[in-house]
Every structure is written in C-alpha cells, then in structure tokens.
Amino acid sequence: MKRFRVFYGGLAGLAAACALGAWFAPVEAGWLAFPWVSIGVGLRALSLSGSVGNVAACGLYALLCLLPAGIALRDIRHRWPLVGFSAVLGPALYFLINPGLLAQRMGGLPQEVVVAMLGQLIWAVALACAVWLLLGALHRRSLNTSSLLHGMQIGLCLLDGAFVVSVFGVGVLDLRGQIAAVRQANTMLDNTAFGTLNPTALFLVCGWLVQSLPALLNLGIVHGLLQLVKLAKADRFAPGMAQAAAHCGTLAGGAAAVDVTVQAVFLAVQLYAAGQLHQLNSGLHIALLPILFAVAALLFSRWLAEGCALREENEGFI
C-alpha cells in the first residue's frame, strides 16, 4: 500500500509539473517539443536572473545531460544506448535554451520550427534507446511467469505516466493553442466585446475535458490491473483473484461506454450552441487508443476470471 501511495504521489507531482510546463511553454512550438521546450525556457530564464541563477542553470543543464550517461556507467555493456541519448540531449537542449543560434545557422528558419524539430529529434532518440534497452533485456533474461508479471507492472506504471502527460502536458498545451487561435481570429473585437468569446472558451475547456476523460478513466483501470498483477505474483489462482478480475472488467467496460457516450453528448450540445461559438470541433475526435486499452483490459479481466472459475470447478471435481 505504501508503494502505491508513493507511486500515485509521483503521478500527482508529474501532473503538476506537466501542467506548469505546458502553461508557460511557447504555444507555437507545438506538443512535439513538450516538455523539452519548457525545460529550455526555464533554464534560460534562470540563467538570465543573475550570476547565482546562471551557475544554477549550468549545473542543472549538466545534470540533465549527464544523467542518462551516469545511469549507463553502472552497466555500460548493456546500457550503452543511454550514452547516445546523452550525446544527443546535450546539444539539443543547448539549442533549445538558445534557439536563435540554430535558427541563424539553418537559413533563418522561424524559431518555433527549429524548436519543434529539436523536440521531435529528442523524442525519436529517446524512443530508439527505449526499444534497444527493451530488446536487450528480453534477449538476456528468461521469460518466466515472475519476470513477465514484473515487466507488466513496469509497463502499466509507464502507461500511467503516459496518460498523465497526455492530459496535463500535451492536452493543456493544445488547449492553450486553441484559445490563442480564437483570440487571434477575433482581433477585430475590442476589449468590451471580448466577453462574447466566453462561450467559445468554455466549450474549448469542455472539449479538453471530454478528450482527456478516456485517459483519466484509464488511470483507474491501470490501478485495477496493478492490483491483479500483485495478486498474481503471490498466487495466480488466489481466492480473491476472480472477484478482483471481475471488478476490473466492470470498471474497464464502464469506462469504454462512458467515453463514447460523453463524446456524443458533447457534440450534440455543441451543435445546439453552435450559433454562439467562434470555433467548433467539427470532427469526431474519439481517443481510440485509450478506448482500445479499456476494451483490452476488459477482455483480459474476463479471461482471468474465467480461468479462476475453471480452476475452482476442477478442484470441485477432484
């Protein structure tokens, strides 16, 4: 229980950090540069705050760039991709702190384009390193039941973090971009008439909540799956396994149903109020991956519950 509290406390801290970074990140850079652009902006502001801030910014910059390589030194033979990540992160983060330097060398490209390209490069290298590390770990270790369950726990925890970043990081940044686009498109309105944009801003926020709902509900599903994996590590056919699997399946099925229903209701309400809005979500933006994850969790829970029920039936015959 203590580990769960620490884990969800970390998720809450991650959500706060993502929201703060997305709120102050340049909207023009887009979500591909998040959170690297926020780190660059923060280090630049700290460096310009004074001599002490400059020293602190240099120290944080060195720490962020050398941290992956430092982790790799513990087992350089198997963690060598982290050294490559540090080699890419250092120059990329430097140019994110000073985007004008690279923009001049690239023929005067807009800074937001340069920042987006740097953010995309960092994410691509990070994904490549993660895949190399995963393939190496799978090649070295035998895949028994215990290691598979442990890997499932790690994957579910990472998935929780991805859901949090998608809602409070990418989602907030996208919301800011939509609000900025509405304001820019209505520059002809004076300050007294700006209140007419309030319904549009309200629907944009509601749209963000609707788009974020699948990921938020999946946090509860992941919690249920983590409880299942914890029970399975102790005993795959523990007495409470069938009940826990049924509860997780009910939660996953309810989440999938709520996701699609809320989306349809939101579009219907938006259609009714379309005359008062300056921007409409004309497409049906159903978050397919979170919904598919909920359906997969439902099927997995039902399969696990059926296996427990079959085990109990066989013991009854014996």
Side-chain angles (χ1 to χ4, degrees), residues 45-291:
L46 183 61
S47 176
L48 296 177
S49 63
S51 57
V52 177
N54 187 35
V55 173
C58 292
L60 288 174
Y61 168 75
L63 178 63
L64 288 173
C65 296
L66 296 177
L67 182 61
I71 297 174
L73 289 178
R74 298 178 59 185
D75 189 2
I76 190 66
R77 181 181 176 184
H78 298 135
R79 299 179 181 177
W80 58 266
L82 292 176
V83 179
F85 182 60
S86 282
V88 173
L89 182 61
L93 194 57
Y94 175 79
F95 285 117
L96 283 173
I97 299 173
N98 306 282
L101 297 178
L102 187 59
Q104 294 176 357
R105 299 183 182 183
M106 298 180 67
L109 284 176
Q111 289 191 11
E112 56 270 17
V113 176
V114 174
V115 167
M117 292 174 62
L118 287 173
Q120 197 171 9
L121 172 64
I122 296 175
W123 279 121
V125 175
L127 180 61
C129 290
V131 171
W132 275 104
L133 291 173
L134 178 62
L135 292 176
L138 292 176
H139 178 71
R140 292 191 305 271
R141 299 180 182 178
S142 59
L143 298 179
N144 52 28
T145 303
S146 178
S147 61
L148 285 174
L149 291 174
H150 182 66
M152 189 179 295
Q153 279 184 318
I154 296 176
L156 289 172
C157 292
L158 293 176
L159 192 60
D160 251 356
F163 286 143
V164 169
V165 172
S166 68
V167 173
F168 297 99
V170 176
V172 172
L173 188 62
D174 185 59
L175 175 63
R176 285 186 57 217
Q178 292 182 23
I179 294 177
V182 171
R183 289 179 176 177
Q184 185 177 5
N186 291 273
T187 52
M188 299 302 294
L189 297 176
D190 55 23
N191 292 332
T192 58
F194 187 75
T196 57
L197 296 181
N198 288 340
T200 303
L202 176 61
F203 266 81
L204 289 177
V205 173
C206 292
W208 168 71
L209 291 174
V210 170
Q211 295 297 318
S212 303
L213 185 62
L216 293 175
L217 292 178
N218 281 347
L219 293 177
I221 298 175
V222 170
H223 177 76
L225 291 175
L226 286 173
Q227 295 286 1
L228 281 178
V229 174
K230 182 180 178 181
L231 290 174
K233 289 181 73 173
D235 183 2
R236 221 167 107 188
F237 299 101
M241 179 64 75
Q243 184 178 1
H247 174 72
C248 185
T250 301
L251 182 63
V258 168
D259 292 340
V260 294
T261 303
V262 170
Q263 180 75 56
V265 171
F266 171 75
L267 290 177
V269 174
Q270 180 184 245
L271 180 62
Y272 176 77
Q276 303 178 19
L277 303 179
H278 295 268
Q279 180 170 320
L280 299 175
N281 290 320
S282 57
L284 185 62
H285 303 291
I286 295 179
L288 287 179
L289 287 180
I291 292 177

